[in-house]
Amino acid sequence: MIGKTYTTLLGGRELSIETGKLAKLVSGSVQLRYGDTMLLVTAQARDDKSTLDFLPLTVEFEERHYAVGKIPGSFHRREGRPGEKAILGARITDRQIRPLFPKTYRHETQVIITVISADGQNAPDVLGPVGASAALSLSDIPWAGPTACVRVGQIDGQYVINPTADQLKNSRMDLVVAGTRDAVMMVEAGAHNASEDDLVGAIEFAHAEMQGVISLIETMREEMGQEKFNFLEETDLTTDLVPEIAEKAKAGGLKDALLTVKKKERSARTKALRDGIIAGYEPDPNAEGAKERITALKNVFNKVEKQELRRLILEDDLRADGRDSKTVRPIWIEARPLPRAHGSAIFTRGETQVLGVATLGTERDEILVDDLSAETGDKFMLHYNFPPYSTGEVKRMGGQSRREIGHGNLAKRAIRAVLPPFEEFPYVIRIVGEVLESNGSSSMATVCAGVLALMDAGVPIKAPVAGVAMGLVMEGDRYRVLTDILGLEDALGDMDFKVCGTAEGVTALQMDIKVGGITPQIMREALAQARDGRLHILGKMAEVLAAPRPELSPTAPRIISVKINPELIGKVIGPGGKQIRELEAMGAQITVEEDGTVRIFSAESANAEAVRDRIGSITREAKAGEEFDGTVVKTTPFGAFINLYPGQDGMLHISQMSEERVSTVEDVMNVGDKLRVKIVAVDDRGKIDLIRPELEGKIAPREARPPRSGGGDRGGRPPRRD
């Protein structure tokens, strides 16, 4: 028998994990199946230790279009750069597994998740972390798992584990939770004004439900797992110097340096103190071996700095910039700083500043999606840009990083919950968050700036949204939750918990834990403190823009929607698209839906209104009894075609032209003649029969007139003989 399969129930459906069958040369390999969604997950580490001073871990999430029976839409017809969903899937896995590697482990490690089958209902993004947990647990790579990951929905007030794609459409929340046997490690969610209690309940529900998966992986490890290899533990030869350097730092004013409000000044003061202490140990930086000793001493100072910062927070409730644990940094806001943008705003909180810009477009501007989902496009985009100057650095600029995509997605989820339905506000919306300064919580500042830009543009959002980043410092049983964390507190703290929402509830959150996990009590406290911070920020935003502007921005284009009979769509488009090209030549873009909805998009209101009027004329449905001053546009042996209004002709039969017998149409009228006509009837195909109104009652209706001599009804001419 090749391979061994382990199964458990998750959300009422079977989850199976098979190992020993595929990719057997890799350290850890599993094939995971849930419904008809299947993933191949591998884990491999290099034998030799990296020279880097951090864990060189990479997680790749590979979507194969054959998984859904599609050929990629790229020019080369093969998969290229991972799409947004694949990158977000990789980030979910990375954030779950990274904290559980030994702190001194430095071997380059790679986890590759390949989606080889996708059923469109069971999302692979939460299955990838389960596969990674199993592959790492079975491998010889040192790792303190296993972990598990599930999605939670809330439908009709009930929590649902791993809801299908169809179920998610009716869910109040989309919550992804990862954890170990004992604690929750990672949370990411989008919600429709969910309460804090509902979110904590969903997290607890998820943690309980994932225990069966953790037990399954533990069984796999016991039966099939390899012995973990012995990696080289870092030996810190300067550990004994920590107390000594701590005393020197204390005497040199480390506390005052850490409490400096401004980031640059704080960094300069701590660096000067550090360099002075190190110089006492290594006066000649060019001496043999001095570089390595100086690096080690810097690491010792960093430990001392971290210890002192955490002590100040826990014992004195003092933070790096002098605030207490619940205070939000000073905020200032400017609306419409850009004169030509459709909507814009600057949001500044402390030393974090974001320029938010909103742009409105047509359906033609929606982003095309070429992934494994059934979606083909998205009418809302949020792009987060993090240039190196925002942190005072110089770096090479290229495409968007995974971090930028992840932060942008969080802000997008937060704002999407309050956007008006497309049917009510038929614009494609793009928000760009330009991070101009960054010292913590730039993604949350992007939420605030983006919402302000939307309101400045006049987009009728349901309610303003704000975001705040929470932190945590925990030592044993002591802990303190921090509101609006700095970059330094993020780096030296134990949690990064971002919460976004309206005054009523939460619309998005993201939590990453750097310790073994946190309890529900700490989560409740963090969410409650985040609510206070969020309401404070919303109040500051309301001082500048309390609600969307009553009118669209003067620079924003106008969209007019009209409804026509779907059977008349062809008239609007015209033969070969001729009619719609003529309409767009009037200065507008036009989209036509199958249900007869026509949207007219123009930068000038007058152009949009003119096109609307023209479409109204083209699609006007004539009714029996109406009279028109028409123009003869064509003559035939049996009658004349009269144009009643743009795009609509009727036929005046030769028998309805005169009381006297008419031999040829040209005896009575010619092309270009104008005459009054009346609609007699409109058949089920829209064909219109006309009469001259002054002859009504004097001649028999066309249907009732007897055949003229010679037979037929073509004005007395004999019937055609073939």
Side-chain angles (χ1 to χ4, degrees):
M1 179 179 177
I2 298 178
K4 186 172 182 180
T5 301
Y6 298 79
T7 64
T8 187
L9 288 179
L10 180 62
R13 283 160 285 164
E14 184 178 87
L15 171 71
S16 69
I17 306 177
E18 184 177 9
T19 188
K21 179 180 178 180
L22 303 179
K24 296 186 292 296
L25 294 181
V26 74
S27 179
S29 170
V30 297
Q31 180 179 318
L32 183 146
R33 179 168 183 167
Y34 194 59
D36 282 343
T37 295
M38 299 175 65
L39 283 69
L40 174 65
V41 186
T42 61
Q44 183 66 47
R46 287 187 181 274
D47 294 332
D48 54 320
K49 179 184 173 182
S50 168
T51 58
L52 299 172
D53 61 352
F54 59 87
L55 170 61
L57 169 68
T58 57
V59 178
E60 305 293 343
F61 195 100
E62 298 291 313
E63 292 183 323
R64 297 293 187 247
H65 283 67
Y66 57 70
V68 291
K70 288 172 57 177
I71 295 176
S74 65
F75 179 79
H76 296 289
R77 292 295 185 266
R78 68 176 298 164
E79 291 82 6
R81 184 172 181 261
E84 183 174 294
K85 287 188 178 180
I87 291 172
L88 296 174
R91 281 175 56 84
I92 288 174
T93 300
D94 188 298
R95 289 157 51 201
Q96 170 188 301
I97 64 176
R98 185 177 290 271
L100 298 182
F101 285 94
K103 292 191 179 299
T104 57
Y105 176 72
R106 293 292 182 269
H107 291 253
E108 186 175 355
T109 303
Q110 185 177 52
V111 173
I112 300 177
I113 302 163
T114 307
V115 183
I116 55 178
S117 178
D119 60 14
Q121 291 297 314
N122 298 292
D125 59 347
V126 292
L127 301 177
V130 175
S133 173
L136 285 167
S137 296
L138 293 170
S139 75
D140 63 349
I141 301 170
W143 186 66
T147 59
C149 182
V150 297
R151 172 174 273 110
V152 179
Q154 188 180 39
I155 304 171
D156 297 328
Q158 300 297 314
Y159 295 130
V160 179
I161 285 290
N162 285 357
T164 64
D166 290 339
Q167 288 176 315
L168 268 180
K169 295 175 183 177
N170 301 312
S171 178
R172 192 183 179 195
M173 65 175 67
D174 179 0
L175 185 91
V176 175
V177 184
T180 62
R181 172 72 73 189
D182 301 318
V184 171
M185 300 189 60
M186 187 276 295
V187 179
E188 181 156 337
H192 296 282
N193 281 328
S195 70
E196 283 79 0
D197 286 342
D198 280 349
L199 288 169
V200 174
I203 293 169
E204 291 179 308
F205 178 73
H207 190 245
E209 291 293 317
M210 69 176 63
Q211 297 305 311
V213 178
I214 292 174
S215 296
L216 179 74
I217 298 174
E218 286 175 340
T219 300
M220 294 179 65
R221 182 179 61 189
E222 291 171 4
E223 296 182 4
M224 306 284 288
Q226 304 171 54
E227 182 180 352
K228 303 299 182 181
F229 68 78
N230 291 320
F231 63 96
L232 180 63
E233 292 277 2
E234 288 185 357
T235 302
D236 191 349
L237 301 178
T238 58
T239 300
D240 294 340
L241 289 176
V242 171
E244 182 179 324
I245 289 181
E247 285 298 320
K248 293 179 181 294
K250 181 179 179 180
L254 177 60
K255 177 180 176 180
D256 291 338
L258 288 175
L259 295 180
T260 304
V261 175
K262 296 291 185 180
K263 178 181 177 180
K264 282 190 174 181
E265 294 176 12
R266 181 168 59 249
S267 297
R269 290 184 65 178
T270 54
K271 182 178 183 297
L273 176 60
R274 183 197 67 189
D275 291 348
I277 292 173
I278 291 175
Y281 291 94
E282 288 291 337
D284 183 6
N286 297 316
E288 184 178 355
K291 183 177 180 181
E292 290 74 15
R293 291 190 294 273
I294 289 173
T295 299
L297 288 166
K298 285 181 178 179
N299 290 335
V300 173
F301 184 87
N302 291 340
K303 290 179 181 179
V304 170
E305 181 183 9
K306 179 177 180 179
Q307 290 173 356
E308 177 63 10
L309 180 65
R310 293 169 69 89
R311 185 197 67 79
L312 287 170
I313 291 172
L314 288 171
E315 296 181 5
D316 302 333
D317 196 14
L318 278 175
R319 298 164 63 180
D321 56 357
R323 287 180 293 151
D324 63 23
S325 57
K326 297 182 179 180
T327 299
V328 177
R329 289 172 288 175
I331 293 172
W332 72 264
I333 297 167
E334 180 182 347
R336 197 167 290 181
L338 307 183
R340 296 301 301 171
H342 299 163
S344 60
I346 297 173
F347 180 87
T348 305
R349 183 180 57 235
E351 294 180 304
T352 295
Q353 183 181 76
V354 174
L355 169 65
V357 186
T359 307
L360 306 180
T362 67
E363 288 173 272
R364 298 183 186 182
D365 296 313
E366 72 175 354
I367 187 170
L368 300 179
V369 176
D370 185 28
D371 57 22
L372 304 187
S373 69
E375 299 175 6
T376 58
D378 194 346
K379 294 179 174 60
F380 174 48
M381 295 162 274
L382 193 149
H383 297 145
Y384 168 98
N385 296 324
F386 194 83
Y389 64 75
S390 65
T391 54
E393 296 176 282
V394 177
K395 293 181 180 178
R396 179 181 179 275
M397 294 185 66
Q400 284 67 47
S401 67
R402 291 188 171 192
R403 177 184 178 278
E404 287 175 294
I405 291 172
H407 279 35
N409 181 69
L410 176 61
K412 179 180 179 179
R413 298 182 82 172
I415 297 174
R416 188 192 288 276
V418 299
L419 292 179
F422 184 76
E423 294 73 22
E424 298 176 10
F425 189 74
Y427 287 88
V428 168
I429 299 173
R430 182 189 186 221
I431 295 174
V432 175
E434 298 284 1
V435 181
L436 309 181
E437 300 173 18
S438 179
N439 186 15
S441 305
S442 58
S443 62
M444 298 297 91
T446 298
V447 172
C448 301
V451 166
L452 288 163
L454 288 177
M455 292 197 292
D456 178 56
V459 177
I461 61 173
K462 299 171 186 176
V465 176
V468 63
M470 311 299 294
L472 175 73
V473 173
M474 185 162 59
E475 298 284 355
D477 295 332
R478 296 188 304 163
Y479 69 89
R480 197 178 294 276
V481 176
L482 308 177
T483 297
D484 182 24
I485 58 175
L486 300 171
L488 179 62
E489 292 167 337
D490 184 7
L492 303 183
D494 300 319
M495 177 181 75
D496 182 10
F497 194 0
K498 301 180 176 72
V499 186
C500 313
T502 65
E504 295 183 7
V506 175
T507 59
L509 64 83
Q510 184 180 92
M511 181 181 74
D512 291 301
I513 301 299
K514 302 173 186 177
V515 290
I518 63 172
T519 64
Q521 174 57 35
I522 295 177
M523 278 190 285
R524 284 191 173 89
E525 186 175 331
L527 283 167
Q529 197 166 313
R531 177 177 172 79
D532 293 339
R534 186 172 79 243
L535 293 176
H536 170 77
I537 296 168
L538 285 170
K540 292 294 184 181
M541 292 167 61
E543 293 175 6
V544 179
L545 276 178
R549 298 191 190 276
E551 300 290 337
L552 278 180
S553 168
T555 58
R558 268 45 181 175
I559 290 183
I560 298 177
S561 294
V562 295
K563 194 82 170 180
I564 65 171
N565 186 337
E567 296 180 358
L568 301 178
I569 290 175
K571 297 184 69 173
V572 175
I573 297 175
K578 177 182 178 182
Q579 181 66 65
I580 202 165
R581 286 196 296 272
E582 291 179 358
L583 290 170
E584 292 194 331
M586 296 171 65
Q589 290 184 19
I590 301 168
T591 60
V592 183
E593 303 289 341
E594 291 182 359
D595 65 353
T597 300
V598 180
R599 295 188 180 93
I600 307 158
F601 177 95
S602 177
E604 301 293 337
S605 296
N607 291 346
E609 292 168 1
V611 172
R612 177 197 59 194
D613 294 342
R614 179 71 179 276
I615 290 175
S617 297
I618 294 171
T619 59
R620 176 178 175 181
E621 296 187 70
K623 299 179 181 179
E626 289 187 291
E627 294 189 13
F628 298 89
D629 291 319
T631 303
V632 179
V633 293
K634 182 179 179 181
T635 60
T636 68
F638 54 84
F641 287 95
I642 314 297
N643 179 247
L644 308 179
Y645 48 83
Q648 184 62 67
D649 295 346
M651 203 275 284
L652 179 62
H653 194 267
I654 194 170
S655 64
Q656 306 293 294
M657 292 182 178
S658 173
E659 292 184 69
E660 305 297 329
R661 181 182 182 279
V662 177
S663 297
T664 63
V665 172
E666 286 75 10
D667 291 341
V668 180
M669 61 189 68
N670 291 287
V671 172
D673 289 352
K674 309 224 179 255
L675 69 157
R676 188 77 174 175
V677 290
K678 181 178 181 179
I679 297 177
V680 175
V682 182
D683 68 14
D684 56 3
R685 295 177 298 170
K687 303 299 183 181
I688 297 174
D689 280 343
L690 304 172
I691 191 173
R692 301 185 72 167
E694 66 270 19
L695 299 179
E696 193 172 20
K698 297 180 181 180
I699 58 177
R702 178 182 170 199
E703 293 78 7
R705 286 179 70 89
R708 294 177 182 266
S709 59
D713 64 346
R714 295 176 176 253
R717 282 171 291 282
R720 178 177 177 181
R721 298 182 182 274
D722 295 327

